[in-house]
Amino acid sequence: MTSKPQKMPKVAKVKDKSPAELQITAEQLLREAKERELEIVPPPPRQKISDPEELQEYRLKKRKAFEDNIRKNRGNISNWIKYAKWEEEQQEIRRSRSVYERALDVDHRNITLWLKYAEMEMRNRQVNHARNVWDRAVTILPRANQFWYKFTYMEEMLKNIAGGRQIFERWMEWEPDEQAWLTYIKFELRYKELDRARTIYERFVYVHPEPKNWIKYAHFEENHGYIQSARRVYERAIQFYGDDHFDENLFIAFAKFEEGQKEHDRARAIYRYALDHMPKEKCLTLYNEYTRHEKKYGDKSSIDDVISSKRKFQYEEAVKVNPHDYDTWFDYVRMLEADGNVDLIRETYERAIACVPPIKEKRHWRRYIYLWIYYAVFEELSTKDMERARQVYQMCIRLIPHKIFTFAEIWLLYAKFEIRQKDLAAARKALGQALGMCPKHKLFRGYIDLEIKLREFDRCRKLYEKWAEFDPENCKMWIQFSTLEAMLNDDQRARGIYELAIAQPRLDMPEYLWKSYIDFEVEQEEWDNVRNLYERLLERTHHVKVWISYAKCEHSMPVEDNVVHARAVFQKANRVLRSCQEKEQRLMLLEAWKEFEEEFGDDASAGKVKQLMPRKVTRRRQVTTEDGSQARWEEYIDYIFPDDEAAKPSLLLLAKAKEWVKKQQEQSQEVPEVREEKDGYEESAVVDPNLDRDDSDVDVGSSSSESSSESEEEPQEKGIKGKVRERKRKTSSSSNSDKESPPVTSRKRERRKSSSSSSSSSSSSSSSEEDEKTPKKTERNSSKNSSDDRNEARKEDRRRSEKRYSGDIHDERSRSRSDRKKREYNERDRQEERRERRRRTPSDRD
């Protein structure tokens, strides 16, 4: 026995391809591979049998091994099959058959064992034994289709057709699956037995009554040329399923059969019968096939019928899912109106209007109310049934909850319908009922338009009066009422209506009303009335657009010196708008004035207006949040007008005087502060209240003109502040004189004497009297007299300055009594105090 080369075992695929921690060289891999080759053990040599005795010995040995394996594991069928197969190889058929029989005694329901047993008999041409095995197999296991298939195949290969037919008949008694019946039919067809095949089909469609099996039966008849038989099969199938179990595939196959036979009318009738008797949700494919058939073989009307029927089905499904989807109802009714079936259209309208919105809110009724409108229009225009249209309108009006909401459109349409029917009284009665139940602006407007078309102006006046009582704040109503009177050439009445309108305490759009009144007077060329209206309007508002319109109106008047009058209006507006908080309005006025002077004035007047144009600067301010805290800083654009800047120094002086008087009054009530003495100077401990003021308005874009004005204002500010500080020192010295001060050293006393020119003399004298009781009496008296003289002089100066400042303040108050100037004084005072704090030296701050 020759040895075969040993095959290498399959190596598993490497899943983890990441590098190993310990790397292996190629040399090591080759060495390990060589070592593995040495480990392969060659197979044992094949034994060569040379005489019958050795053969018997070998067979005995193998049988003993097989018997031992079977004895060890009797239920392992593979050992039995290997044993039987080995006996077959040894040409011991009887022994192999015996092994199979013993194995069947162990497990007679093993399909593989029966198959191997029968195949062994057939390989060895033991036909009767094979028939016996198959017969026993199908008897014991009749539901194992493999046995039947192989049994019939063996008989057919042996040309035993009758035997094969008998086997099929035995099989069919068990009513197997569809494929078994089809195999039997194919068996008969191979031998041209059509009648037998037809008989099998008759039994088959009742054992397995599915539509596809009926269709296969009909195709069998059609393929063999039996057209009438095929038609009868389809008809029997439809009768068999009845009206409750229709299947669209059966009807489609029947219709295609008739279509193949050129019977298009029959096919169309089948499609229509199916669509009429089957539920709509089960014939979607049927609709598509019907449409395809009509597009190929039908005319235009039939195609339209198919499409409309398909769309009807879709709409019916949609409204069944959501009956309150009024858009779907609109499309559905519109399609039906195109078909022209009046009864079906009315039925659909009745079904649609029966779907009343469940909630009484107007937004849910807006689409629903149009169903009633379309229904009434259909009855009026399409069917010409006026009485039915009137009933539709009346039913709709009774259905709407007018106490909650109403629809003016339905009232107006009903009134117009009655007018078309030449029943004016009914139309007026309907509109009057609407105004009594639910008055609305649209109802008043529609009723008035109707009466205007009928030239019933007295009724229009009455309706306008009712409208004015209902809503006196509506400016459009007053304007339309006045326009009606003006159209009727009743100017006095129109003017009276305008006067009544502007006298109302509240109006929704008063600017439109005043403009209409002014335009009316302009059309009448009553220029005095126009001026009077502008003056009355300016008493209520000082808006810049009113001033500009006033000026343009003055210029457009056909009188002499209209330019002068317009310029006077601009000048007056500029004076009035100085107190306006919104500087943009004043800027708009100046720009309009500048354009006016450039177009109608001369160079001198235009130059004067240019001198009034403001300077644009960028400022910063701190934003205040909702809770009152100070947030980020932001920049904004501010405008500085030349006339306001020119009056700034005098106003600043008056503001400083006012603040000085206020401080004097506060200091007279407060307890004097304790004076602190430092090296080289004395300073009052009174805290400046403006030091903690927020820097809420800082000019970050100031120009050279502002710096010059600041430098001019500094001396005045310093003079006032010096007097204020002197007053503070006097009050502090008087308070210190009342108290007992501690002893002071001689060094401090000498420093205080050397700085007596800048400090208060009264304080130094009092301190010297307490500390020096032993010096000469004459020196003390002389110093005391000199200090008294200085005090008297200072008091006289103070009285004169207070009188002068109080007189100036009195004059200023008499000249300016408005709150606007007071705010300007306070603002400028804060700005000057900030500049003063910036100019102070570090020693002063300490």
Side-chain angles (χ1 to χ4, degrees), residues 620-636 694-697:
R620 282 198 313 146
R621 62 186 172 195
Q622 199 168 9
V623 181
T624 304
T625 58
E626 295 179 356
D627 56 356
S629 60
Q630 300 293 332
R632 58 184 176 82
W633 291 80
E634 68 175 4
E635 293 186 355
Y636 68 98
D694 293 335
D695 202 1
S696 61
D697 193 358

Side-chain angles (χ1 to χ4, degrees), residues 484-634:
L484 175 65
E485 298 296 345
M487 182 181 64
L488 297 176
N489 296 325
D490 197 345
D491 300 336
Q492 295 298 327
R493 193 179 181 91
R495 191 174 288 111
I497 293 170
Y498 274 121
E499 290 292 337
L500 185 61
I502 62 177
Q504 297 298 322
R506 292 183 60 183
L507 293 171
D508 53 358
M509 294 184 295
E511 62 275 7
Y512 290 103
L513 181 62
W514 282 94
K515 185 179 182 301
S516 178
Y517 194 5
I518 292 171
D519 292 341
F520 168 73
E521 295 293 353
V522 169
E523 290 178 0
Q524 303 299 323
E525 296 183 357
E526 296 289 342
W527 306 114
D528 294 336
N529 292 339
V530 173
R531 289 192 184 95
N532 185 20
L533 284 175
Y534 271 113
E535 294 295 335
R536 291 167 61 188
L537 179 59
L538 290 171
E539 291 176 359
R540 300 190 179 192
T541 180
H542 291 290
H543 199 275
V544 64
K545 291 185 179 181
V546 179
W547 287 106
I548 295 173
S549 177
Y550 189 12
K552 290 181 179 179
C553 184
E554 285 286 353
H555 179 261
S556 63
M557 291 181 184
V559 296
E560 297 180 359
D561 299 334
N562 53 0
V563 177
V564 177
H565 292 168
R567 187 178 294 117
V569 173
F570 276 118
Q571 292 173 355
K572 183 178 178 182
N574 188 29
R575 288 194 301 271
V576 172
L577 291 179
R578 285 181 183 177
S579 61
C580 182
Q581 295 295 330
E582 298 179 1
K583 296 182 179 181
E584 288 80 3
Q585 291 197 13
R586 191 176 177 190
L587 178 62
M588 291 173 58
L589 177 70
L590 292 175
E591 289 176 352
W593 191 2
K594 180 181 176 183
E595 293 177 0
F596 172 76
E597 294 294 348
E598 289 176 354
E599 185 175 359
F600 303 105
D602 52 6
D603 295 337
S605 60
K608 291 180 180 180
V609 177
K610 288 181 181 179
Q611 292 177 0
L612 297 175
M613 296 300 289
R615 219 165 17 93
K616 182 164 56 171
V617 296
T618 304
R619 297 186 184 275
R620 282 198 313 146
R621 62 186 172 195
Q622 199 168 9
V623 181
T624 304
T625 58
E626 295 179 356
D627 56 356
S629 60
Q630 300 293 332
R632 58 184 176 82
W633 291 80
E634 68 175 4

Side-chain angles (χ1 to χ4, degrees), residues 703-748:
S703 60
S704 60
S705 62
E706 283 187 339
S707 61
S708 62
S709 63
E710 291 173 4
S711 61
E712 292 174 359
E713 295 165 3
E714 284 180 5
Q716 299 174 2
E717 180 186 357
K718 288 180 179 179
I720 295 171
K721 290 184 177 293
K723 292 178 181 180
V724 172
R725 289 172 182 169
E726 184 178 359
R727 175 64 177 169
K728 290 179 181 179
R729 284 195 294 271
K730 288 178 182 180
T731 56
S732 64
S733 64
S734 62
S735 64
N736 290 330
S737 63
D738 296 336
K739 296 180 181 180
E740 293 182 2
S741 61
V744 185
T745 60
S746 60
R747 183 178 178 181
K748 290 184 179 181

Side-chain angles (χ1 to χ4, degrees), residues 349-476:
Y349 267 123
E350 293 293 337
R351 291 168 55 199
I353 61 179
C355 301
V356 182
I359 302 174
K360 291 186 178 181
E361 293 182 7
K362 190 170 183 178
R363 60 189 181 91
H364 296 289
W365 285 62
R366 292 185 186 277
R367 300 294 294 166
Y368 169 71
I369 207 68
Y370 278 99
L371 287 172
W372 289 92
I373 296 174
Y374 288 171
Y375 191 13
V377 172
F378 167 75
E379 294 292 350
E380 182 182 359
L381 299 181
S382 299
T383 62
K384 307 297 181 180
D385 193 347
M386 304 305 170
E387 187 60 31
R388 196 179 184 91
R390 183 178 290 106
Q391 291 177 3
V392 171
Y393 278 119
Q394 293 173 356
M395 287 293 296
C396 179
I397 291 172
R398 284 196 294 268
L399 180 65
I400 298 173
H402 299 289
K403 293 183 179 180
I404 302 175
F405 59 85
T406 189
F407 293 94
E409 186 68 24
I410 196 70
W411 291 102
L412 295 174
L413 289 175
Y414 179 40
K416 292 176 182 178
F417 168 77
E418 294 293 352
I419 290 174
R420 287 193 295 271
Q421 305 307 317
K422 298 180 181 181
D423 193 352
L424 185 59
R428 285 174 174 165
K429 181 180 178 181
L431 291 175
Q433 182 183 1
L435 293 178
M437 293 175 60
C438 45
K440 289 184 66 176
H441 298 291
K442 192 173 182 180
L443 283 173
F444 280 108
R445 184 69 264 167
Y447 198 178
I448 291 171
D449 291 341
L450 178 63
E451 296 295 347
I452 288 176
K453 291 178 182 178
L454 296 174
R455 298 297 186 268
E456 295 288 345
F457 299 111
D458 292 335
R459 289 180 175 271
C460 293
R461 289 190 178 99
K462 292 180 181 179
L463 288 173
Y464 271 119
E465 292 174 1
K466 295 292 184 182
W467 196 356
E469 293 176 1
F470 169 67
D471 187 13
E473 299 177 3
N474 191 352
C475 289
K476 288 186 178 181

Side-chain angles (χ1 to χ4, degrees), residues 48 116 200 223 290 293 300 307 316 404 437 494 515 552 573 592 617 655 662 718-719 728 837:
K48 188 174 182 181
K116 294 292 184 181
I200 297 170
N223 292 334
Y290 187 22
H293 174 269
K300 184 177 181 301
I307 296 174
E316 287 290 343
I404 302 175
M437 293 175 60
K515 185 179 182 301
K552 290 181 179 179
V617 296
K662 184 178 180 181
K718 288 180 179 179
K728 290 179 181 179
R837 286 201 301 273

